[in-house]
Amino acid sequence: MVLFYGTITPTREVVMSTTEVNLSTAGIGLTDGAALKVRALLDQEDRNDLKLRVAVQPGGCSGLRYQLYFDDRALEGDSISEFGSVAVVTDKMSTPYLMGATIDFVDTIEKQGFTIDNPNAGDSCACGDSFN
């Protein structure tokens, strides 16, 4: 599991289940910078079968925290948004928390890493790693 730390409309979102596949343009967003960084990391690992999974889990000082990692699984109820050659997956429990959120990649002298701008986050901690 690779962990990472926010505006582009996805080209396609697929909700996977055992009975149906729904296409939608709502959901999580990925900036060009984030998509380029994810693609570079996947190319570095020589793994075109992986998707970026974004999940919301209990934890952190504000109650919920983000998890970002590469995953080759497709779980029932997953939502998959494609951004060019990069696929972003969210599980059915995390999707409501991440609707409208945008993932970005920041690379400055002060900070480097993935960030999530989430309009659903009511409050976040000072370190920025968790929200409620």
Side-chain angles (χ1 to χ4, degrees):
M1 176 166 65
V2 179
L3 294 177
F4 303 107
Y5 271 88
T7 287
I8 291 182
T9 304
T11 56
R12 180 172 71 142
E13 180 179 273
V14 179
V15 178
M16 299 175 69
S17 73
T18 56
T19 58
E20 67 183 52
V21 175
N22 297 318
L23 297 178
S24 170
T25 57
I28 199 163
L30 194 67
T31 65
D32 286 339
L36 286 172
K37 185 61 176 180
V38 170
R39 174 52 37 210
L41 291 168
L42 291 172
D43 290 346
Q44 182 179 346
E45 296 296 321
D46 197 26
R47 296 286 305 266
N48 290 326
D49 61 321
L50 299 176
K51 298 169 184 62
L52 177 64
R53 184 171 290 276
V54 184
V56 174
Q57 299 290 323
C61 43
S62 291
L64 297 170
R65 63 184 176 94
Y66 301 109
Q67 284 190 326
L68 282 77
Y69 57 95
F70 292 125
D71 198 352
D72 61 356
R73 300 172 298 155
L75 305 174
E76 184 176 344
D78 276 354
S79 295
I80 303 175
S81 300
E82 295 180 356
F83 303 88
S85 65
V86 173
V88 178
V89 180
T90 57
D91 63 83
K92 63 183 173 184
M93 297 301 286
S94 299
T95 297
Y97 292 105
L98 296 168
M99 294 296 291
T102 303
I103 300 172
D104 193 11
F105 183 76
V106 178
D107 188 4
T108 67
I109 196 166
E110 297 172 342
K111 181 178 181 179
Q112 182 183 39
F114 289 93
T115 62
I116 299 177
D117 179 20
N118 189 347
N120 301 308
D123 215 359
S124 63
C125 62
C127 66
D129 288 338
S130 66
F131 70 100
N132 65 21

Coordinates of all heavy atoms in Angstrom, one line a residue, residues 4 30 32-44 47 50-52 68 70 85-88 103 105 114:
F4 N -0.5 8.6 0.2 CA -0.2 9.9 -0.3 C -1.1 10.9 0.5 O -2.0 10.5 1.2 CB -0.5 10.1 -1.7 CG 0.2 9.2 -2.6 CD1 -0.5 8.2 -3.3 CD2 1.5 9.4 -2.9 CE1 0.2 7.3 -4.1 CE2 2.2 8.5 -3.7 CZ 1.5 7.5 -4.3
L30 N -9.6 15.4 -10.2 CA -8.2 15.2 -10.2 C -7.6 16.3 -11.1 O -8.0 16.5 -12.3 CB -7.8 13.9 -10.8 CG -6.4 13.4 -10.5 CD1 -6.1 13.1 -9.1 CD2 -6.2 12.1 -11.3
D32 N -4.7 18.4 -13.3 CA -3.7 17.9 -14.3 C -2.4 17.5 -13.6 O -1.8 16.5 -13.9 CB -3.4 19.0 -15.4 CG -4.5 19.1 -16.4 OD1 -5.3 18.2 -16.5 OD2 -4.6 20.2 -17.0
G33 N -2.0 18.4 -12.6 CA -0.7 18.1 -11.9 C -0.8 16.8 -11.1 O 0.2 16.0 -11.1
A34 N -1.9 16.5 -10.5 CA -2.1 15.3 -9.8 C -2.1 14.1 -10.7 O -1.5 13.0 -10.4 CB -3.4 15.3 -8.9
A35 N -2.8 14.2 -11.8 CA -2.9 13.1 -12.8 C -1.5 12.8 -13.4 O -1.1 11.6 -13.5 CB -3.8 13.5 -13.9
L36 N -0.7 13.9 -13.7 CA 0.7 13.7 -14.2 C 1.5 12.9 -13.1 O 2.3 12.1 -13.5 CB 1.3 15.0 -14.5 CG 0.8 15.6 -15.8 CD1 1.3 17.0 -16.0 CD2 1.1 14.8 -17.0
K37 N 1.4 13.3 -11.8 CA 2.2 12.7 -10.8 C 1.8 11.2 -10.6 O 2.7 10.4 -10.5 CB 2.1 13.5 -9.5 CG 2.9 13.0 -8.4 CD 4.4 13.0 -8.7 CE 5.3 12.6 -7.6 NZ 6.7 12.7 -7.9
V38 N 0.5 11.0 -10.6 CA 0.0 9.6 -10.5 C 0.5 8.8 -11.6 O 1.1 7.6 -11.4 CB -1.5 9.5 -10.4 CG1 -2.0 8.1 -10.5 CG2 -2.0 10.1 -9.1
R39 N 0.4 9.3 -12.8 CA 0.9 8.6 -14.0 C 2.4 8.3 -13.9 O 2.9 7.2 -14.2 CB 0.6 9.3 -15.3 CG 1.1 8.8 -16.6 CD 0.9 7.3 -16.9 NE -0.4 6.8 -16.6 CZ -0.5 5.5 -16.3 NH1 0.4 4.6 -16.3 NH2 -1.7 5.0 -16.0
A40 N 3.2 9.3 -13.4 CA 4.6 9.1 -13.3 C 5.0 8.0 -12.3 O 5.9 7.2 -12.5 CB 5.3 10.4 -12.9
L41 N 4.2 8.0 -11.2 CA 4.5 7.0 -10.2 C 4.1 5.6 -10.7 O 4.8 4.6 -10.4 CB 3.6 7.3 -8.9 CG 4.1 8.5 -8.1 CD1 3.1 8.8 -7.0 CD2 5.4 8.2 -7.5
L42 N 3.0 5.5 -11.4 CA 2.6 4.2 -12.0 C 3.7 3.7 -13.1 O 4.0 2.6 -13.1 CB 1.3 4.3 -12.7 CG 0.1 4.4 -11.7 CD1 -1.2 4.7 -12.4 CD2 0.0 3.2 -10.8
D43 N 4.2 4.7 -13.9 CA 5.2 4.4 -14.9 C 6.5 3.9 -14.2 O 7.1 3.0 -14.7 CB 5.4 5.6 -15.8 CG 4.3 5.8 -16.7 OD1 3.4 5.0 -16.9 OD2 4.3 6.9 -17.3
Q44 N 6.8 4.6 -13.1 CA 8.0 4.2 -12.4 C 7.9 2.8 -11.8 O 8.9 2.1 -11.8 CB 8.2 5.2 -11.2 CG 9.4 5.0 -10.4 CD 9.5 6.0 -9.2 OE1 8.8 7.0 -9.2 NE2 10.3 5.7 -8.3
R47 N 3.5 -0.4 -13.7 CA 2.2 -1.1 -13.4 C 1.1 -0.3 -14.0 O 0.6 0.7 -13.4 CB 2.0 -1.1 -11.8 CG 3.0 -2.0 -11.1 CD 2.8 -3.5 -11.2 NE 1.5 -3.9 -10.9 CZ 1.2 -4.4 -9.7 NH1 2.0 -4.5 -8.7 NH2 -0.1 -4.8 -9.5
L50 N -2.9 -0.8 -12.1 CA -3.2 -0.2 -10.8 C -4.1 1.1 -11.0 O -3.9 1.8 -11.9 CB -2.0 0.2 -10.0 CG -1.1 -1.0 -9.6 CD1 0.1 -0.5 -8.9 CD2 -1.9 -2.0 -8.7
K51 N -5.0 1.3 -10.0 CA -5.8 2.5 -9.9 C -5.4 3.2 -8.6 O -5.0 2.6 -7.7 CB -7.3 2.2 -10.0 CG -7.7 1.5 -11.2 CD -9.1 0.9 -11.1 CE -9.5 0.1 -12.3 NZ -8.7 -1.1 -12.6
L52 N -5.7 4.6 -8.6 CA -5.5 5.3 -7.4 C -6.8 5.2 -6.6 O -7.8 5.6 -7.0 CB -5.2 6.8 -7.7 CG -5.1 7.7 -6.4 CD1 -3.9 7.3 -5.6 CD2 -5.0 9.1 -6.8
L68 N -4.9 7.4 0.5 CA -4.6 7.3 -1.0 C -3.6 6.2 -1.2 O -2.5 6.3 -0.6 CB -4.1 8.6 -1.5 CG -5.1 9.7 -1.7 CD1 -5.5 10.4 -0.4 CD2 -4.6 10.8 -2.7
F70 N -2.4 2.9 -4.3 CA -2.6 2.1 -5.5 C -3.2 0.8 -5.2 O -2.8 0.1 -4.3 CB -1.3 2.0 -6.3 CG -0.8 3.3 -6.8 CD1 0.5 3.7 -6.5 CD2 -1.5 4.1 -7.6 CE1 1.0 4.9 -7.0 CE2 -1.0 5.3 -8.1 CZ 0.3 5.7 -7.8
S85 N -5.3 8.6 -18.7 CA -4.8 7.3 -18.5 C -4.8 6.9 -17.0 O -4.3 5.9 -16.6 CB -3.4 7.1 -19.1 OG -2.5 8.0 -18.4
V86 N -5.4 7.8 -16.1 CA -5.4 7.6 -14.7 C -6.8 7.3 -14.2 O -7.7 8.1 -14.5 CB -4.8 8.8 -13.9 CG1 -4.9 8.6 -12.4 CG2 -3.3 9.0 -14.3
A87 N -7.0 6.2 -13.5 CA -8.3 5.9 -12.9 C -8.2 6.1 -11.4 O -7.3 5.7 -10.7 CB -8.7 4.4 -13.2
V88 N -9.3 6.8 -10.8 CA -9.4 7.0 -9.4 C -10.6 6.2 -8.9 O -11.7 6.3 -9.5 CB -9.6 8.5 -9.1 CG1 -9.8 8.7 -7.6 CG2 -8.4 9.3 -9.6
I103 N -8.5 16.3 -5.9 CA -7.1 15.9 -5.5 C -6.1 16.7 -6.4 O -6.3 16.8 -7.6 CB -6.9 14.4 -5.7 CG1 -7.9 13.6 -4.9 CG2 -5.5 14.0 -5.4 CD1 -7.9 12.2 -5.2
F105 N -1.7 17.9 -6.7 CA -0.4 17.6 -6.3 C 0.4 18.9 -6.2 O 0.4 19.7 -7.2 CB 0.4 16.6 -7.3 CG 1.7 16.3 -6.8 CD1 1.9 15.4 -5.8 CD2 2.9 16.9 -7.3 CE1 3.2 15.0 -5.3 CE2 4.1 16.5 -6.9 CZ 4.3 15.6 -5.9
F114 N 0.3 15.2 -2.2 CA -1.0 15.3 -2.7 C -1.9 16.0 -1.6 O -1.7 15.8 -0.4 CB -1.6 13.9 -2.9 CG -1.0 13.2 -4.1 CD1 0.1 12.4 -4.0 CD2 -1.6 13.4 -5.4 CE1 0.6 11.8 -5.2 CE2 -1.1 12.8 -6.5 CZ 0.0 12.0 -6.4

